[in-house]
Amino acid sequence: MKKIAICSTLLIICFLSISAAIGQTLKVGAALRVITPNPLLPVSGGIGTPKPSTQNKGDLYARAMVFEKGTTRIAIVNVDNLGWSSILGNKSRDLIKGIPAENILIGATHTHSAPDAYAFPDASGKSYADLKYLDWCVQQIADAVNEAISKLEPASLKIAVDEAKGKIAYNYYAPALYDPRCGVIQAIATTGSRQGKAIATLVNYAVHPEVIGSGRGILSPDLCGPLYDRIEAKAGGIALFMNGAQGGMVTADTRLEYGKEGEGQKEANTWDECIRIGELLADEALRIVDKAAVLPNPDIYCAARKIEFPVDSQMMRFILKNSPLKFTFEKDNIVSTQLNLLNIGPAQILTIPGEALPNIGYYVKRNMNTRLPFLFGLTNDAFGYMLTKVDFNSFKRYEYVSRTSLGEMTAEIYMEQAIKLVKESPKPQ
Ligand SMILES: [Zn+2]
């Protein structure tokens, strides 16, 4: 018996070394590009004319993390902007060498203090986006991913999901209705001069980075800027931030006083508050990942599906049809988008092409095949708010989020397709 046990141990060792020899070693690379416009541009917090900016607090970035194992390569990119459509994302995908388009995930952080990337048309059809700036960003995003590919090196991972504690987020519509879970993926170099050091740390958390907003004349990554800086100062490597199911209306907790209903809320909407919240979230993310076990050579998996949504909202139809970005309709008043599912070691990740309400996030996460669920909100597209048909046009509070959604069925279709993709995909390791 003992001999058999030794033999099988040897076989496993043999298999592992053969796997490593034929390139079955997980590799990770990361890179970033600054996308702060020079000179500064007006900033956009949503539909309407962008507001001029006269100063910036922090830089805007495109940040990329690439995973490779065997013949599979996956890129995760975050862009400091309100929303980044597939029209722009696909232009970057065309410029990226060595990763299939469907394995490239591009998400927006949802900062409300960056240039207009939707090219929102006003009532007369005129739009104010700087298309030259957007084309430059497209190139910067591709450059960041291509550089991350060139930096691929053997890596281990640490992955954890836990509650981020402290005054970070709340639901502006109903304070306790938000998801406090923060997911963290950290890649650590296993060879070379940087052995044991972090290559990248990805933070996944649902919150509106709108501390500063679009009405202050300030261009800023909002709380994401201090979050990147803090993580990079403490852990090294490159920090990424992927948003979650932050719709209706999970926002940064800048409350100064808990006012009575209808009295309004006193808030601290300052850069200092961005620093406080960004650094607190960074510290919590590092605390959460610190206790995770090191995964020496985890597997990766990527699936992509094209999903379609009807555009029922007249306003959304007008925006999509009149934006100079030229959104394409799949059929009459139907838009399509890329839905991704990733398995990274024991973690599973699903993308959301918009701003799903937190109850949708909870539902999808509990139907995922993992104890480490990640949701990347506003990723691959940003089609406005996503409410269940039950929530749609219900509370008066939901008037705005219903109006700025594609329609009643968007979230229903999303949940059905996302869970179908989970069922059709292998279970994470
Ligand atoms: Zn929003």
Side-chain angles (χ1 to χ4, degrees), residues 51-369:
K51 317 255 186 352
S53 61
T54 54
Q55 57 169 312
N56 66 305
K57 294 283 190 191
D59 274 311
L60 306 180
Y61 288 95
R63 291 165 172 266
M65 185 175 188
V66 173
F67 297 82
E68 180 193 87
K69 189 167 184 182
T71 53
T72 304
R73 265 190 195 162
I74 301 164
I76 299 170
V77 182
N78 85 247
V79 185
D80 283 308
N81 200 282
L82 186 69
W84 205 255
S85 72
S86 54
I87 302 294
L88 298 173
N90 289 341
K91 288 183 183 175
S92 294
R93 288 182 175 101
D94 286 344
L95 299 168
I96 293 166
K97 306 273 178 279
I99 306 184
E102 63 272 18
N103 285 26
I104 300 168
L105 286 64
I106 304 177
T109 61
H110 205 48
T111 172
H112 282 47
S113 318
D116 174 11
Y118 287 85
F120 286 121
D122 65 13
S124 71
K126 185 171 166 21
S127 113
Y128 303 89
D130 187 318
L131 300 180
K132 259 177 80 179
Y133 168 71
L134 296 179
D135 274 341
W136 177 69
C137 290
V138 161
Q139 185 67 56
Q140 298 303 304
I141 289 168
D143 289 353
V145 177
N146 287 328
E147 186 187 322
I149 295 169
S150 75
K151 287 182 165 171
L152 282 166
E153 61 178 313
S156 58
L157 297 180
K158 286 173 84 173
I159 306 177
V161 175
D162 205 349
E163 191 172 322
K165 301 229 162 61
K167 194 166 167 267
I168 301 172
Y170 77 114
N171 189 325
Y172 181 77
Y173 292 166
L177 303 191
Y178 75 103
D179 185 349
R181 283 172 289 180
C182 175
V184 189
I185 300 174
Q186 188 169 63
I188 301 150
T190 54
T191 58
S193 59
R194 296 185 61 253
Q195 188 174 4
K197 302 232 164 68
I199 299 167
T201 304
L202 180 153
V203 179
N204 178 215
Y205 186 78
V207 65
H208 266 70
E210 56 177 350
V211 176
I212 288 175
S214 59
R216 308 273 297 283
I218 300 170
L219 182 139
S220 176
D222 208 82
L223 61 90
C224 306
L227 174 127
Y228 304 139
D229 291 348
R230 180 74 145 208
I231 285 184
E232 290 172 2
K234 288 178 92 171
I238 284 176
L240 283 87
F241 175 74
M242 299 301 283
N243 219 319
Q246 38 56 278
M249 190 58 83
V250 181
T251 193
D253 193 350
T254 59
R255 290 174 294 182
L256 289 172
E257 284 173 27
Y258 296 77
K260 285 183 195 148
E261 182 70 26
E263 272 185 356
Q265 184 77 58
K266 286 193 175 152
E267 294 168 1
N269 291 103
T270 59
W271 177 242
D272 279 347
E273 191 66 349
C274 289
I275 294 171
R276 182 192 68 77
I277 297 173
E279 292 188 349
L280 177 54
L281 180 54
D283 291 347
E284 282 297 287
L286 293 175
R287 175 186 66 78
I288 288 166
V289 80
D290 190 47
K291 61 189 180 208
V294 175
L295 308 164
N297 189 24
D299 287 338
I300 57 170
Y301 170 82
C302 176
R305 291 273 190 288
K306 197 168 91 170
I307 58 171
E308 295 182 346
F309 298 114
V311 186
D312 297 328
S313 152
Q314 291 296 335
M315 187 184 71
M316 296 301 269
R317 272 186 208 174
F318 180 85
I319 290 170
L320 292 173
K321 284 190 173 154
N322 291 283
S323 163
L325 292 182
K326 297 187 175 60
F327 289 88
T328 46
F329 281 80
E330 198 63 25
K331 293 164 216 143
D332 217 18
N333 295 321
I334 303 268
V335 285
S336 74
T337 187
Q338 175 175 314
L339 171 70
N340 277 108
L341 177 145
L342 306 181
N343 290 336
I344 306 286
Q348 192 161 68
I349 297 166
L350 271 169
T351 59
I352 310 173
E355 301 182 61
L357 266 63
N359 51 342
I360 294 166
Y362 272 100
Y363 179 71
V364 172
K365 277 185 182 178
R366 99 177 136 80
N367 279 285
M368 289 166 76
N369 239 333

Side-chain angles (χ1 to χ4, degrees), residues 7-21:
C7 275
S8 53
T9 310
L10 280 174
L11 268 176
I12 291 166
I13 291 167
C14 261
F15 175 74
L16 287 176
S17 52
I18 290 166
S19 309

